[in-house]
Amino acid sequence: MGVRSGWALCLGLLFSTTMWTVHAQFVPTDQILIACGAASDVVVDVRQFKGDAQATLKNPTLDAPQGVLASISAPNTNLLNPKLVQQARIFPVNSSYTFQVTPGRHFVRLYFYPFTFSSYTPNASTFSVTANQYRLLNDFRPVLYSSDSKPLVFKEYSLNVTASSLVLNFSPASSSYAFINAIEVVSMPDNLVPRLALSLAQPGTPIAWGSANTAVEMMYHLNVGGEAVTPQNDSSGIWRTWQVDDPYLFGAARGKADSVIAATIQYPSQVPEYTAPPVVYQSARTMGVSETVNAAFNLTWTLPVDLGYTYLVRLHFCELWVTSIGFRVFNIYLNNRTAENGVDIIALTGNLNYAAFRDYLVRMDTGVAKLWVQIGPAPSSSSSYKDAILNGLEIWKLNSTTGSLGGGSGVNAGEDGGSGIQTGAIAGAAVGGVAAIALAAALIFFCCCRKTSKLSPTKSRKNAPPSWLPLPHHGISDTMASKMSTVSQKSGTGSYVSTVQGSNLGRYFTFAELQEATNNFDESLILGVGGFGKVFKGEIDDGTKVAVKRGNPCSEQGLTEFQTEIELLSKLRHRHLVSLIGYCEEHCEMILVYDYMANGPLRGHLYGTELPTLSWKQRLEICIGAARGLHYLHTGAAQGIIHRDVKTTNILLDENLVAKVADFGLSKTGPSLEQTHISTAVKGSFGYLDPEYFRRQQLTEKSDVYSFGVVLMEVLCARPAINPALSRDQVNLAEWALQKQKSGLLESIMDPKLVGQCSRDSVRKFGETAEKCLQECGVDRPAMGDVLWNLEHALQLHEVAASGSAGSTQPNLMDASAPMVSLMPPAMPTHPLDDDDSSVSSEKHILGSDDDDLLEDASASAVFSQLVNPQGR
Ligand SMILES: *[C@@H]1O[C@H](CO)[C@@H](O)[C@H](O)[C@H]1NC(C)=O
Ligand SMILES: *[C@@H]1O[C@H](CO)[C@@H](O)[C@H](O)[C@H]1NC(C)=O
Ligand SMILES: *[C@@H]1O[C@H](CO)[C@@H](O)[C@H](O)[C@H]1NC(C)=O
Ligand SMILES: *[C@@H]1O[C@H](CO)[C@@H](O)[C@H](O)[C@H]1NC(C)=O
Ligand SMILES: *[C@@H]1O[C@H](CO)[C@@H](O)[C@H](O)[C@H]1NC(C)=O
Ligand SMILES: *[C@@H]1O[C@H](CO)[C@@H](O)[C@H](O)[C@H]1NC(C)=O
Ligand SMILES: *[C@@H]1O[C@H](CO)[C@@H](O)[C@H](O)[C@H]1NC(C)=O
């Protein structure tokens, strides 16, 4: 894949998923449940199977020339639902059911319970089953799959029905008969069967398989480390059965099955709730307590399959115990081959209790007819634990090129030896679930950072496939270990609890008031769309202009967190922060009302619009203002708040072009306020993202400093942080500008509109400051206070130069013929850190007395410190 198309893929995948999804329950369009041969309806759990021996039944219709109604009086007690299968239809000749359905993907579930009826003995039954153009079962002998302990033979398929009917045909082998006990034909969500999966031949590469019309047999749904899940307890509207994984564990080392039933499983938008029910993610199998033992084995499952087919292996993950990246890093092997190295669930999901899955394609042609799934600690990683985790496992068989799913006679061979699979690199922005998303993230990281890093051997490895993670950590294990926290039963987010008493939430708005203020959320008043939702321009009572930020309709859980958040935000007051005026929570709405910023985002004043060019001085003042705002977030009354998404669209300008930082604080309020899974894993915007944060998921103030460095470069160069239209070395502004800065050529790429109006020293100082912000390692970056000081210094250099050149007819400050070498050194303290006190005291001055009170408010700062991601401190 070329670099360009790689980028296109990255960006396409990324942007197509930055929307919220409200998870609705899945309601199947068709739900046709049949108890074959039954004279009355049979209720299983809460579902009603229609007895098909009733004359009233219109759908399906049956064409069974010599059909026989069979029944057994004393069904096997090992049956889960004996009533459903104690009768059957027997077909001595070719017979078929015709179901009227809505076109689309359907589950087709077949129940076979072999019992002797009259002269029909199970041994004598061999038949084939087709469904429209698909051959589901070929020379199938149910008796071979039935045992005393597990008498029911259950088959589940997913078919895309393109016509309005589904013909289920049963054709017995000669002098044999076919039978069936129950059938389900139920619509399924389109996306449950993905179109992309990771290749085993080229690990890490997603490939598209088959056509949309490929039928799959869902051979295994295993709740790894947990209990069996009945259809009733599956995701709403899906009705799968999940088995325990124990029978498929290989060898004596069975690891440790464990669960956290109190965990509230979070489903990011790429993992719809129907993917698997919470109970699957709440339990897992890990390796065990002894690291030495763990290092020496793999957890292994072996699952019988038929040879000659391609399988889709879906692994479900959800970290329930380990909160930090780099602790549980493991490898995945399929059929003794490495499917993926260095898997770290926290790196993938960003948090405890977040559901994720990965899909792999495995071709089974020769050898043992068992699919091997293994996980084990990544041998060469610096993972703190030698451990691995798996929550769920599914195996789906894909039809052969001729549309057959054929095995069934106990002979493990496919009917065609062909490859059965069309693979190809994916182009465009197909979204195929977490696999692709995580891959995109990894790719982006890979694209962005390959060049800048001389630190890690992994990254510079030639042709290294984009990996899930973790690049080696640079001797950080100790710090990480000290930050380790193991079990947190609560939901990983929103675990802080408000301790603020009383109500200081700012003004309460009714929904009606805000409807009026925004002309009923008139789309033409949209100022922007952000992580939280849409932002509308509005006008309240006295004509005061406000920005109204409307979040998605609430979830119950979101509400308390929303309140906590408001309590915190309403206490943040600073000249360089956009103030929260009030809020509304009504009609399941979560709305925040902010000061309106007449001049909008800084970005629009830099490029891409017709707005007048900002002078160098204005730019410096804006940067200084924004730096003050961030400095206050990091160290002021609200000590320890990390913005997490510093960028030029989050720096707003009021009517006097005073910069105010927006969109802070909404970062830790839990999934209902979070943008997406991606933003959880990698909160922030691409191009501004602290590479260290990406690797370690350790959020510190220095992550904001990095992003601010990108902002500085953007201000100087007047171009976006990421511009995929440019050549490879220029796509990422941070990378490109840093390279220019290091070779002393930063001036060559600065905004041409600035040339002639800024002093070289000022730009140099500015460039050096940005460079320091963009250091690879957080510890090497200055604190926001230092950045602030340096920018002030740059402003002073500029002003001195400007006043020096005042009156000159050629005020081209950047002109080499007029070097500003003899500038007076600015009257600044020599050590930036010494200045911290004075900068803080000036903040206090700006804050005014009300805010000073706030500074002393101990309970407030206690709460503020809770807001900080514990991993970040
Ligand atoms: C069974 O009947 C269907 C149509 O009813 C036909 O398409 C199919 O070829 C028949 N199969 C056999 C084995 O006769
Ligand atoms: C079915 O066939 C197997 C051998 O093919 C035989 O061992 C078994 O006894 C038969 N069962 C019945 C009920 O006829
Ligand atoms: C089913 O097939 C139709 C026609 O080929 C196609 O348009 C549709 O996208 C398919 N649906 C799914 C869920 O694959
Ligand atoms: C469903 O789950 C609940 C709680 O986990 C359990 O009490 C109940 O027995 C389950 N129902 C079925 C039908 O398995
Ligand atoms: C994997 O390796 C084991 C032993 O090393 C072997 O027994 C097994 O058959 C192999 N599995 C496959 C699918 O090749
Ligand atoms: C885990 O399985 C893989 C693939 O079968 C194998 O290469 C590796 O050596 C195994 N690791 C251990 C510790 O047995
Ligand atoms: C499954 O069968 C259909 C034809 O019925 C075919 O178009 C499709 O490519 C097959 N899928 C695979 C993976 O071969």
Side-chain angles (χ1 to χ4, degrees):
M1 192 184 305
V3 170
R4 278 302 179 82
S5 60
W7 268 104
L9 172 64
C10 299
L11 297 172
L13 282 166
L14 188 70
F15 295 142
S16 58
T17 55
T18 49
M19 279 167 302
W20 279 359
T21 321
V22 179
H23 299 306
Q25 301 206 321
F26 176 71
V27 181
T29 322
D30 297 323
Q31 179 152 352
I32 308 169
L33 311 176
I34 302 299
C36 305
S40 59
D41 294 353
V42 179
V43 176
V44 173
D45 294 338
V46 296
R47 294 187 299 165
Q48 191 163 30
F49 283 69
K50 297 269 179 208
D52 74 350
Q54 305 174 97
T56 51
L57 189 69
K58 294 286 177 294
N59 186 18
T61 54
L62 177 60
D63 177 16
Q66 301 162 35
V68 176
L69 292 180
S71 64
I72 184 171
S73 47
N76 193 315
T77 48
N78 287 329
L79 286 165
L80 188 60
N81 295 300
K83 285 209 165 62
L84 181 61
V85 294
Q86 68 189 8
Q87 54 280 311
R89 273 194 187 267
I90 288 179
F91 304 123
V93 300
N94 194 359
S95 307
S96 56
Y97 280 100
T98 302
F99 293 83
Q100 300 307 316
V101 298
T102 323
R105 269 210 180 260
H106 286 72
F107 283 112
V108 173
R109 298 184 175 123
L110 307 177
Y111 298 71
F112 304 99
Y113 167 45
F115 59 80
T116 305
F117 177 75
S118 174
S119 60
Y120 297 99
T121 62
N123 259 7
S125 176
T126 302
F127 55 97
S128 299
V129 180
T130 61
N132 289 359
Q133 72 267 40
Y134 307 105
R135 180 165 287 259
L136 305 185
L137 288 162
N138 197 38
D139 290 336
F140 176 52
R141 291 191 68 197
V143 72
L144 295 178
Y145 300 89
S146 172
S147 64
D148 284 346
S149 59
K150 210 171 153 286
L152 182 73
V153 183
F154 177 75
K155 293 279 182 180
E156 183 179 51
Y157 304 89
S158 163
L159 316 177
N160 185 7
V161 183
T162 50
S164 60
S165 65
L166 173 70
V167 179
L168 209 54
N169 184 273
F170 296 83
S171 67
S174 64
S175 61
S176 182
Y177 71 95
F179 73 93
I180 179 78
N181 303 73
I183 305 172
E184 295 179 31
V185 175
V186 184
S187 306
M188 68 188 282
D190 282 349
N191 299 330
L192 189 52
V193 175
R195 295 297 314 285
L196 299 182
L198 295 171
S199 147
L200 210 51
Q202 300 151 277
T205 313
I207 50 176
W209 46 270
S211 70
N213 294 331
T214 296
V216 306
E217 178 185 348
M218 299 191 155
M219 298 183 72
Y220 300 98
H221 307 288
L222 303 185
N223 180 11
V224 175
E227 308 275 300
V229 182
T230 58
Q232 194 179 353
N233 277 357
D234 190 23
S235 316
S236 144
I238 310 292
W239 307 103
R240 283 162 301 207
T241 301
W242 296 75
Q243 299 172 275
V244 298
D245 67 319
D246 303 61
Y248 305 101
L249 276 169
F250 175 85
R254 307 170 80 82
K256 183 159 161 275
D258 212 346
S259 62
V260 181
I261 48 170
T264 306
I265 301 302
Q266 309 291 342
Y267 290 88
S269 56
Q270 304 81 12
V271 186
E273 278 184 37
Y274 53 68
T275 306
V279 64
V280 168
Y281 291 112
Q282 281 162 347
S283 61
R285 198 173 285 279
T286 55
M287 298 194 70
V289 286
S290 166
E291 310 243 316
T292 351
V293 173
N294 292 357
F297 83 105
N298 292 313
L299 267 180
T300 304
W301 293 261
T302 64
L303 302 111
V305 294
D306 300 312
L307 294 178
Y309 293 91
T310 301
Y311 293 84
L312 193 131
V313 177
R314 172 167 288 190
L315 306 184
H316 294 271
F317 298 106
C318 179
E319 183 55 79
L320 298 162
W321 296 281
V322 173
T323 54
S324 295
I325 220 166
F327 274 90
R328 193 178 340 238
V329 183
F330 57 98
N331 291 355
I332 299 172
Y333 311 96
L334 298 171
N335 279 351
N336 295 340
R337 294 174 66 178
T338 302
E340 206 144 2
N341 277 323
V343 176
D344 184 324
I345 304 308
I346 290 292
L348 175 67
T349 63
N351 224 327
L352 276 184
N353 303 342
Y354 272 73
F357 64 83
R358 302 284 271 182
D359 294 330
Y360 305 89
L361 280 180
V362 180
R363 175 79 196 162
M364 297 291 295
D365 272 323
T366 52
V368 282
K370 284 196 171 170
L371 208 154
W372 281 57
V373 177
Q374 294 173 287
I375 56 174
S380 57
S381 93
S382 57
S383 173
S384 308
Y385 297 154
K386 295 279 173 249
D387 207 348
I389 183 171
L390 185 65
N391 304 64
L393 169 57
E394 290 182 88
I395 295 189
W396 303 345
K397 184 200 233 179
L398 310 186
N399 70 222
S400 67
T401 42
T402 57
S404 171
L405 284 160
S409 54
V411 180
N412 290 308
E415 102 190 277
D416 66 26
S419 84
I421 195 113
Q422 268 77 53
T423 61
I426 310 113
V431 178
V434 168
I437 302 305
L439 184 93
L443 262 176
I444 289 187
F445 175 63
F446 190 65
C447 302
C448 302
C449 302
R450 209 170 33 181
K451 224 168 176 170
T452 56
S453 128
K454 287 147 212 109
L455 295 162
S456 92
T458 316
K459 278 193 288 179
S460 52
R461 208 170 61 206
K462 277 231 172 79
N463 303 324
S467 95
W468 251 9
L469 198 203
L471 305 160
H473 312 296
H474 316 301
I476 52 167
S477 301
D478 290 349
T479 8
M480 287 182 74
S482 71
K483 283 170 189 152
M484 186 193 110
S485 99
T486 27
V487 186
S488 163
Q489 311 293 68
K490 272 200 68 126
S491 150
T493 53
S495 53
Y496 55 86
V497 178
S498 165
T499 54
V500 176
Q501 302 298 318
S503 165
N504 182 20
L505 302 183
R507 173 169 163 189
Y508 183 82
F509 290 90
T510 63
F511 186 65
E513 259 179 295
L514 294 180
Q515 270 181 311
E516 196 189 315
T518 57
N519 198 9
N520 199 15
F521 300 98
D522 187 342
E523 300 267 313
S524 69
L525 294 177
I526 288 185
L527 294 169
V529 179
F532 182 78
K534 288 176 178 164
V535 186
F536 299 85
K537 181 176 174 178
E539 219 175 88
I540 49 175
D541 32 44
D542 49 354
T544 309
K545 292 201 176 85
V546 290
V548 178
K549 210 175 221 190
R550 186 185 194 190
N552 263 28
C554 62
S555 63
E556 226 172 86
Q557 186 190 9
L559 259 183
T560 28
E561 287 161 1
F562 179 65
Q563 273 171 347
T564 315
E565 195 69 53
I566 294 164
E567 258 173 291
L568 297 168
L569 294 185
S570 57
K571 293 197 177 236
L572 292 176
R573 292 273 177 266
H574 189 269
R575 178 173 150 82
H576 293 289
L577 297 183
V578 175
S579 312
L580 182 73
I581 297 175
Y583 71 104
C584 162
E585 46 162 291
E586 208 182 288
H587 296 301
C588 224
E589 294 273 357
M590 295 187 279
I591 304 177
L592 297 173
V593 181
Y594 288 95
D595 275 346
Y596 173 71
M597 293 290 120
N599 273 309
L602 167 59
R603 181 187 170 125
H605 295 264
L606 295 174
Y607 51 87
T609 62
E610 300 292 301
L611 294 171
T613 310
L614 294 172
S615 70
W616 181 237
K617 182 172 182 214
Q618 281 171 320
R619 294 187 203 198
L620 281 171
E621 282 169 346
I622 287 165
C623 291
I624 288 169
R628 275 186 203 286
L630 289 171
H631 178 58
Y632 170 77
L633 282 181
H634 290 177
T635 64
Q639 189 166 49
I641 290 187
I642 299 165
H643 188 294
R644 296 166 64 117
D645 200 9
V646 175
K647 53 182 177 181
T648 47
T649 46
N650 277 340
I651 297 172
L652 305 182
L653 305 177
D654 73 3
E655 64 280 8
N656 300 317
L657 293 180
V658 172
K660 303 199 182 215
V661 176
D663 241 2
F664 47 87
L666 283 176
S667 39
K668 284 305 292 173
T669 37
S672 53
L673 297 184
E674 292 267 72
Q675 205 172 340
T676 60
H677 167 69
I678 278 256
S679 66
T680 318
V682 188
K683 168 81 183 174
S685 303
F686 281 92
Y688 295 94
L689 206 63
D690 170 7
E692 192 175 55
Y693 174 31
F694 187 95
R695 281 201 302 278
R696 293 169 44 184
Q697 302 284 296
Q698 297 233 321
L699 193 68
T700 68
E701 285 90 353
K702 297 298 181 66
S703 307
D704 283 352
V705 172
Y706 181 91
S707 309
F708 192 70
V710 181
V711 167
L712 294 180
M713 290 301 193
E714 210 176 330
V715 165
L716 181 69
C717 305
R719 53 148 283 188
I722 294 287
N723 185 349
L726 296 174
S727 68
R728 166 68 192 94
D729 57 329
Q730 300 185 18
V731 166
N732 184 325
L733 173 61
E735 194 182 304
W736 189 45
L738 202 56
Q739 181 201 327
K740 292 286 180 191
Q741 164 68 18
K742 283 181 178 151
S743 50
L745 296 171
L746 187 61
E747 284 164 19
S748 70
I749 62 166
M750 67 188 275
D751 185 358
K753 291 178 188 144
L754 286 176
V755 175
Q757 55 144 310
C758 50
S759 95
R760 170 163 291 142
D761 287 328
S762 176
V763 170
R764 197 170 288 152
K765 184 79 203 162
F766 190 89
E768 283 165 11
T769 309
E771 180 183 359
K772 284 186 206 139
C773 293
L774 294 174
Q775 290 305 299
E776 177 88 8
C777 294
V779 292
D780 299 334
R781 295 174 207 146
M784 217 54 223
D786 296 342
V787 176
L788 178 57
W789 186 89
N790 279 290
L791 291 174
E792 280 172 339
H793 189 173
L795 176 61
Q796 200 173 42
L797 288 172
H798 171 75
E799 292 196 317
V800 171
S803 65
S805 66
S808 156
T809 50
Q810 180 80 41
N812 186 348
L813 300 183
M814 283 295 284
D815 191 324
S817 65
M820 306 272 171
V821 281
S822 60
L823 286 175
M824 272 177 25
M828 285 283 176
T830 44
H831 196 288
L833 288 171
D834 295 345
D835 189 45
D836 258 20
D837 287 342
S838 67
S839 111
V840 168
S841 63
S842 73
E843 292 297 334
K844 282 189 179 168
H845 182 68
I846 293 167
L847 284 167
S849 54
D850 282 353
D851 300 286
D852 279 341
D853 290 343
L854 183 61
L855 279 170
E856 312 313 328
D857 183 341
S859 76
S861 48
V863 171
F864 287 131
S865 57
Q866 303 268 350
L867 185 66
V868 178
N869 183 335
Q871 293 170 37
R873 308 281 308 157

